Amino acid sequence: MSVSAVAADRSVCAPLPVLGRDVLVPLVTGGEVDYAALDYAASAPALQRVWDDVAAYAPYYGSVHRGAGYLSQLSTDLFENSRRTIAEFLGCRIEGGPGEARSGKGGGGRREGDQVVFTRSTTDSLNLLAAVLPENTRVFVFETEHHASLLPWEQRSDVEVTYLNAPRTPQQAVDTLEKALATREPYGPALVCVTGASNVTGELWPVRELAAAAHAHGARIVLDAAQLVPHHPVDLAELDVDWVAFSGHKLYAPFGAGVLAGRADWLRDAAPYLAGGGASRKVSRRTDGGVDVEWHTTAARHEAGSPNVIGAYAIASACQALTEAGFDALVAREQELIARLRAGLAEVPEVNVLSLFGEDAARVGVLSFVVEGWNSSHFAAALSAEYGIGVRDGLFCAHPLVRTLLGSEPQDPGECGAPEAAPGEKSLNAIRVSFGAGTPDEHVDRFLEAVKELVTNGARWNYQTEDGRCVPARSAD
């Protein structure tokens, strides 16, 4: 049996086939091996199902909402049906028109309906929400957030942001938020932003409890579900959140689209995120030479320009694939892999797994660690070059959190790949391994074997820093 055939055979252990499962990569030590993609938290590979659906539609691609021709009408139907599929996946049902949904459960005031707005990514979704906040909104966000949910609020000069310290237990997170909300002055519109699962530790946050705390104090809450939605069901009503944001590229649909779903009122009342065609219902000249614009009140208000119909359809296809596979089975299988990974790393004393909430915390398939005696960039480069394993190293766009977790960890700023540090600071970085429904068992096993070999025997190749990255030297000598 050929190497590629063996790789394909191994991949059947994964519940959902993904592209790249039979890709061979060269090793600096000679030969090739099937690539072990263990960086799902950055961008998950496309599901084979998603790729097949997009390929089947591609010949019928046409302009959305802009044409009388058959392909335009077909594409428009596909786009709006994708919106409905995603709304159902998130527990909100479309009503009345594009992006409108029936009233659902939720705090922070009467829910008049939800909208599903297509964006470019989680980052874009949260920047959109930041743009539509009412004046003088108070935003509360934990310092542990990904930069996509940590930074957008600062762009508004009329919005005050309160950064909350990293909690060390789920209950401490709730207590910290309760205290901050209870003492806010003046009492007006408020928004809480929280992650569903950490992109650094994989730990699940107490979303329902945080939502209850927010609503009890008259605040609204947005859930950054970028790392949660590929691993667990996310239901707006069940979690009682006001908005949810996520990216297609985390959800096995890397075609440049994202979603912001939730309450319609702030979205409807604010100026369009982008001004242009599609967002406007009527534009007319005034006698003074200017123009009057009537904007859409549906999701189209914030979707100016030609919609990314392929990206939207890809997300909908991924939602259907995950639903049909059954989240209960996917979660159970992923928990088995997490247990195997943690048990294997626990056998290596030099490995320190990063955690906010402790070893017993519930988590998704994301785990970060450091290795004693190694710079993380050097270790990650050796995993790739010598074992064909792709992981991530660095601060994972969550600098305050990783710096908190690594505050007492010794690092060597002179080692290959060590990032530059500010004066008086240590060079800090970590290694992240992440996986999902497309990961075969063999990839996790190979990763554990590689970690043990590198810690025991060291790297078999020399490495050097180029453009800030640790890469294999041209020769092993």
Side-chain angles (χ1 to χ4, degrees):
M1 182 179 291
S2 67
V3 174
S4 59
V6 170
D9 182 62
R10 287 170 175 167
S11 71
V12 300
C13 295
L16 293 175
V18 295
L19 296 184
R21 59 190 182 274
D22 54 357
V23 169
L24 296 177
V25 294
L27 303 179
V28 292
T29 52
E32 295 179 322
V33 66
D34 56 301
Y35 182 64
L38 294 177
D39 192 16
Y40 277 46
S43 282
L47 287 177
Q48 185 68 55
R49 154 77 174 272
V50 171
W51 183 262
D52 291 343
D53 283 349
V54 167
Y57 161 67
Y60 301 92
Y61 171 80
S63 61
V64 175
H65 301 148
R66 285 167 171 75
Y70 178 80
L71 297 190
S72 290
Q73 293 183 48
L74 187 150
S75 294
T76 298
D77 288 344
L78 187 75
F79 185 69
E80 294 305 336
N81 285 334
S82 296
R83 196 192 304 274
R84 293 184 179 90
T85 296
I86 295 165
E88 292 174 2
F89 182 76
L90 296 173
C92 52
R93 289 184 284 180
I94 299 286
E95 178 184 76
E100 294 288 342
R102 283 198 290 273
S103 178
K105 176 183 175 185
R110 179 180 176 272
R111 288 289 288 274
E112 64 178 33
D114 293 328
Q115 289 184 345
V116 175
V117 182
F118 287 116
T119 65
R120 294 176 296 176
S121 60
T122 308
T123 301
D124 195 35
S125 295
L126 293 171
N127 274 271
L128 164 57
L129 186 58
V132 305
L133 294 180
E135 291 184 1
N136 302 315
T137 296
R138 289 283 301 277
V139 177
F140 298 83
V141 56
F142 287 93
E143 67 174 352
T144 49
E145 293 291 309
H146 185 282
H147 293 171
S149 49
L150 187 74
L151 302 180
W153 327 107
E154 291 279 4
Q155 306 307 304
R156 289 281 300 272
S157 60
D158 59 344
V159 167
E160 182 177 344
V161 186
T162 298
Y163 295 103
L164 306 176
N165 292 335
R168 286 300 184 168
T169 67
Q171 185 58 51
Q172 189 179 60
V174 177
D175 293 342
T176 298
L177 179 61
E178 286 266 14
K179 182 178 180 180
L181 290 172
T183 57
R184 81 179 193 269
E185 292 181 1
Y187 193 87
L191 177 71
V192 176
C193 180
V194 66
T195 188
S198 171
N199 78 304
V200 176
T201 68
E203 292 166 318
L204 296 175
W205 278 62
V207 177
R208 292 184 187 86
E209 292 82 358
L210 290 168
H215 294 150
H217 292 278
R220 300 186 181 189
I221 184 168
V222 57
L223 171 65
D224 176 353
Q227 299 297 339
L228 184 63
V229 72
H231 304 276
H232 279 270
V234 173
D235 187 291
L236 279 163
E238 182 182 353
L239 294 174
D240 201 14
V241 296
D242 297 282
W243 293 276
V244 59
F246 67 92
S247 297
H249 74 99
K250 311 283 190 187
L251 192 69
Y252 310 101
F255 292 90
V259 168
L260 176 67
R263 298 178 66 133
D265 53 354
W266 285 3
L267 292 165
R268 184 195 58 238
D269 295 342
Y273 184 44
L274 298 173
S280 56
R281 294 182 62 182
K282 179 182 178 181
V283 180
S284 57
R285 289 291 301 273
R286 297 195 305 264
T287 55
D288 64 2
V291 295
D292 288 322
V293 183
E294 179 182 341
W295 302 104
H296 280 292
T297 58
T298 64
R301 184 183 189 88
H302 299 291
E303 294 178 346
S306 296
N308 179 3
V309 58
I310 288 180
Y313 181 44
I315 293 178
S317 173
C319 290
Q320 288 179 316
L322 290 168
T323 300
E324 291 167 6
F327 263 115
D328 288 345
L330 294 176
V331 170
R333 192 259 178 175
E334 183 173 298
Q335 291 305 309
E336 292 177 359
L337 286 183
I338 293 171
R340 182 184 303 187
L341 176 65
R342 289 180 60 82
L345 291 178
E347 296 175 358
V348 187
E350 293 83 356
V351 170
N352 179 26
V353 174
L354 306 183
S355 175
L356 268 177
F357 300 153
E359 293 184 2
D360 297 331
R363 65 190 69 229
V364 299
V366 179
L367 183 146
S368 297
F369 63 98
V370 292
V371 182
E372 183 180 342
W374 285 81
N375 178 270
S376 295
S377 294
H378 188 188
F379 200 88
L383 285 173
S384 174
E386 300 178 28
Y387 298 92
I389 298 170
V391 297
R392 199 169 189 85
D393 65 278
L395 300 176
F396 319 124
C397 292
H399 293 189
L401 171 57
V402 180
R403 290 186 182 280
T404 294
L405 296 174
L406 292 180
S408 61
E409 292 299 327
Q411 299 284 314
D412 182 357
E415 190 175 347
C416 177
E420 294 183 2
E425 289 188 354
K426 292 183 297 183
S427 173
L428 300 176
N429 60 342
I431 305 155
R432 185 180 69 192
V433 54
S434 53
F435 48 87
T439 305
D441 296 6
E442 183 271 335
H443 287 182
V444 173
D445 293 339
R446 195 204 313 170
F447 168 77
L448 290 171
E449 292 172 5
V451 169
K452 293 173 183 177
E453 288 184 9
L454 284 172
V455 170
T456 301
N457 303 320
R460 291 173 287 173
W461 203 263
N462 290 329
Y463 294 83
Q464 62 190 35
T465 300
E466 290 184 3
D467 298 325
R469 296 294 300 168
C470 188
V471 299
R474 289 180 174 81
S475 69
D477 300 329

